[in-house]
Amino acid sequence: MNFQTTEPPFRFRQGTRPLLISMPHVGTHVPPALAARLTDEGRRVPDTDWHLERLYDFADALGASVLVATHSRFVIDLNRPPDGASLYPGQSVTGLCPVDLFDDQPLYRDLAEQPDEAEIAQRREAIWQPYHAQLALELARIRSEHGAAALWDAHSIRSVVPRFFEGTLPELNLGTANGASCSPVLAEHLLAIGKQAAPYTAVLNGRFKGGHITRQYGKPEQGIHAVQLEMTQCTYMQEHWPFDYLPEVAAGVQPHVRRMLEAVLAFVEAAAVKA
């Protein structure tokens, strides 16, 4: 198979403060030739991190830079290592170029339609590499300009996905690669904000510890602090088709997310002054 796309790999807005918000799973674009190979359910791109740009609509007011994926994770998963290595060995995961849905149903209409190594390489070159190049470039710019940088990797998922976890997921899942991607002081402060965010529940480095982006770019010893927030989608939207945004519901959780990002900025800006 030959992969081609006419869509740019990302949208980017540069901010004025030392924070980059990455949204690697909000994209919904699937090139028509690829979409024709997917199942009917696959073409609905159900495993999208829907509406995060709207939920984080305060990002510009905070002065954050924002990097947003355009293509569906079904094309290529920007939060996986380029070699497709599992982030959670021994647990069920989806790959760099997924072949199944979160509910374990096949993504492609036929096994013969799945991408081979050559096509995966084409997708990686067209989408994965430009996204990560922009991410790395912006973090370097922020750190050079401000003396320190923060990376916030924004995600969401259905609250019940038996394939990945038992029962119902806590609403606010913070990940710092088991403490390796950001200062533990910052991580504990963020967890405290989450635990005070009644009626929501929060956990640090639970089922979701941060994907490739958090693990790759978080280097607190170099002044770059990376945090992933995996939110349950029921906190702001319909978890099933048609996946509508629910403004009244979102209004409950949005201030808490903003409070976390304000805390990240305060921490990084204070660290930059000390440096």
Side-chain angles (χ1 to χ4, degrees):
M1 303 290 180
N2 186 45
F3 176 78
Q4 293 183 327
T5 183
T6 57
E7 287 287 311
F10 58 80
R11 295 188 299 275
F12 173 70
R13 304 192 304 276
Q14 187 174 103
T16 57
R17 298 175 71 191
L19 171 62
L20 170 61
I21 301 174
S22 164
M23 300 182 185
H25 290 157
V26 303
T28 57
H29 180 69
V30 180
L34 175 55
R37 295 155 54 190
L38 305 185
T39 63
D40 291 343
E41 182 63 14
R43 285 194 290 272
R44 287 182 171 183
V45 292
D47 302 335
T48 300
D49 293 6
W50 299 98
H51 308 300
L52 284 184
E53 279 188 280
R54 185 169 179 182
L55 185 71
Y56 283 81
D57 64 6
F58 54 83
D60 290 347
L62 288 183
S65 297
V66 182
L67 179 62
V68 181
T70 55
H71 288 70
S72 169
R73 68 189 301 160
F74 291 165
V75 179
I76 193 163
D77 192 327
L78 298 169
N79 202 28
R80 297 291 182 271
D83 63 359
S86 176
L87 294 169
Y88 296 94
Q91 300 184 49
S92 181
V93 294
T94 50
L96 179 65
C97 292
V99 296
D100 49 16
L101 305 174
F102 283 2
D103 62 6
D104 263 333
Q105 296 302 305
L107 176 57
Y108 289 84
R109 299 173 64 176
D110 188 273
L111 284 174
E113 301 280 14
Q114 294 181 5
D116 58 18
E117 288 302 316
E119 184 183 355
I120 291 172
Q122 290 174 335
R123 298 187 195 184
R124 188 164 49 230
E125 182 178 358
I127 302 167
W128 194 98
Q129 290 176 354
Y131 188 93
H132 281 265
Q134 181 63 38
L135 198 161
L137 185 68
E138 180 60 8
L139 283 178
R141 183 200 67 81
I142 290 173
R143 185 174 176 276
S144 175
E145 185 171 316
H146 297 277
L151 169 62
W152 186 269
D153 211 40
H155 295 263
S156 70
I157 192 171
R158 295 192 299 275
S159 57
V160 177
V161 187
R163 174 180 176 181
F164 299 139
F165 50 84
E166 295 182 1
T168 303
L169 196 67
E171 283 88 2
L172 303 170
N173 299 268
L174 293 157
T176 64
N178 283 333
S181 70
C182 89
S183 161
V185 174
L186 174 57
E188 289 299 328
H189 187 189
L190 294 172
L191 180 61
I193 293 173
K195 287 188 173 296
Q196 294 164 8
Y200 310 105
T201 54
V203 66
L204 175 63
N205 292 314
R207 172 59 182 85
F208 295 97
K209 305 178 189 299
H212 176 70
I213 289 173
T214 305
R215 303 181 196 197
Q216 175 69 20
Y217 297 100
K219 295 179 172 59
E221 70 283 357
Q222 298 178 24
I224 302 176
H225 301 268
V227 179
Q228 175 178 293
L229 177 62
E230 184 87 61
M231 302 175 59
T232 55
Q233 291 178 337
C234 62
T235 59
Y236 70 94
M237 60 168 277
Q238 291 180 338
E239 290 198 336
H240 300 284
W241 183 262
F243 308 117
D244 287 341
Y245 189 80
L246 302 175
E248 300 83 3
V249 177
V253 76
Q254 196 175 39
H256 301 296
V257 177
R258 179 168 183 159
R259 197 166 298 121
M260 286 183 180
L261 286 172
E262 289 171 341
V264 169
L265 273 166
F267 179 89
V268 173
E269 288 177 338
V273 169
K274 292 178 183 176

